[in-house]
Amino acid sequence: MVWLGPLLLLPNLFLASHVGAAVDLTLLADLRLVEPRRFFLTCVSGEAGPGRGADAWAPPLLLEKDDRIVRTPRPAQPPHLVRNGSRRITLRGFSQPSDLVGVFSCVGGAGRTRVLYVHNSPGAHLLPDKVTHTVNKGDTAVLAALVHKEKQTDVIWKSNGSYFYTLDWHEAQDGRFLLQLPNVQPPSSGIYSATYLEASPLGSAFFRLIVRGCGAGRWGPDCTKECPGCLHGGVCHDLDGECVCPPGFTGTRCEQACREGRFGQSCQEQCPGTSGCRGLTFCLPDPYGCSCGSGWRGHQCQEACTPGHFGADCRLQCQCQNGGTCDRFSGCVCPSGWHGMHCEKSALSDRGDGDASAKMQVTDQGHPGGASASQGAPAC
């Protein structure tokens, strides 16, 4: 592992803009399809236009590839866009695997929020432990490049396309190369990569690091305001204090679970195909980043949660009481007469309890920051 001091980087070009309330914008990457021509990216907006009808006068979505950092040869045939109104757009028709590697973005919403996705080659020499790492200001960020195809050469780390650090190949620990960044600050955010020396950049592990502008549990211009305590891996936005909920959860504090296969701020969207959200990566506005859908994990989001775990990337652990059972999509399912996050509340104890936000619900419509141990370790 390498330990680096505080970072001073060039101005970061890869932070999402954010104006006002959280924008309902999702970038979906379909990892189920290994053939480049069948692979697709879809940008979905839940934002309604100001005029009559859902799409009236809504600004059009943009879906594009950003070659400023991860440069790949231009595809023989440019992929084509398919638009369904102003609230959904799909990019498909890639000609070869190298066309897919790199940074893609979806732009939408009144404030033109930009949602980013970094695609790694499944056959790369090195793979990221997580595509997105979201941390708080002042935290220690640890990026782990997993050895997929071993080469006995040094590993070059880059930040936003520029040389950053070199690790000797002997420094791999348990099949991974670690980059540890203490006391990270917002300018440290950006695209990081780990590549074997003299190997093709297409074989790199690409990461995105998001550093919230405040410490854990805080938000606001001076970071003096307290976050609401986002549940189920939701992330507190450092500018407005709102919870950006993981795919599959909704509510002011992300307290409600959508029904299986649903996503969006109001659970209004449904995963395509008969496999539900299996094999899909979901990217949401910063500071959330990207993850598998609720109930799934792994590099291609095709592995079901192990028993006792649930939520996006299966990061959450059930601690069900009073006969409750763990559902990998929503958490504890309580027997009659009990409710709450862990089925810890009975009908009798609930009398006079006005805190409806702590009750677990499943609704059709309906990570980093201060949750309990069973909810993972959110950045706020």
Side-chain angles (χ1 to χ4, degrees), residues 295-367:
W296 302 100
R297 67 186 181 101
H299 287 296
Q300 294 183 301
C301 298
Q302 304 210 45
E303 302 173 33
C305 298
T306 55
H309 292 79
F310 74 103
D313 285 338
C314 304
R315 293 179 189 151
L316 310 178
Q317 188 169 355
C318 287
Q319 294 181 356
C320 308
Q321 305 171 20
N322 301 305
T325 57
C326 184
D327 180 275
R328 64 187 176 95
F329 299 101
S330 60
C332 292
V333 178
C334 303
S336 178
W338 297 93
H339 62 269
M341 300 290 292
H342 315 295
C343 307
E344 75 280 13
K345 295 177 179 287
S346 69
L348 293 177
S349 66
D350 190 46
R351 290 179 181 175
D353 181 4
D355 184 12
S357 66
K359 301 175 186 178
M360 185 61 195
Q361 302 178 39
V362 180
T363 177
D364 269 318
Q365 306 299 327
H367 165 124

Side-chain angles (χ1 to χ4, degrees), residues 127-150:
L127 294 172
D129 60 335
K130 292 192 300 183
V131 172
T132 302
H133 287 257
T134 298
V135 298
N136 300 296
K137 179 180 178 181
D139 283 354
T140 294
V142 180
L143 309 182
L146 312 180
V147 176
H148 185 216
K149 297 178 181 178
E150 186 176 10

Side-chain angles (χ1 to χ4, degrees), residues 120-204:
N120 287 264
S121 170
H125 296 107
L126 300 169
L127 294 172
D129 60 335
K130 292 192 300 183
V131 172
T132 302
H133 287 257
T134 298
V135 298
N136 300 296
K137 179 180 178 181
D139 283 354
T140 294
V142 180
L143 309 182
L146 312 180
V147 176
H148 185 216
K149 297 178 181 178
E150 186 176 10
K151 288 174 65 70
Q152 295 184 353
T153 56
D154 296 344
V155 167
I156 305 295
W157 284 90
K158 291 185 178 181
S159 171
N160 290 334
S162 299
Y163 171 79
F164 191 67
Y165 202 80
T166 300
L167 279 175
D168 186 273
W169 69 274
H170 288 102
E171 296 184 71
Q173 300 180 24
D174 298 322
R176 60 186 65 198
F177 291 94
L178 301 179
L179 183 71
Q180 188 157 327
L181 310 172
N183 190 29
V184 290
Q185 302 298 312
S188 304
S189 300
I191 307 297
Y192 288 75
S193 64
T195 312
Y196 278 120
L197 186 66
E198 298 181 353
S200 167
L202 299 178
S204 306

Side-chain angles (χ1 to χ4, degrees), residues 10 58 65 88 92 95 117 119 126 135 145 164 173 189 201 203 226 235 238 249 266 294 298 303 321-322 340 366-367:
L10 295 174
K65 187 175 182 182
R88 184 181 294 262
R92 64 170 74 242
S95 57
Y117 167 65
H119 186 80
L126 300 169
V135 298
F164 191 67
Q173 300 180 24
S189 300
E226 195 168 325
V235 183
D238 46 300
F249 291 91
S266 301
S294 186
E303 302 173 33
Q321 305 171 20
N322 301 305
H367 165 124

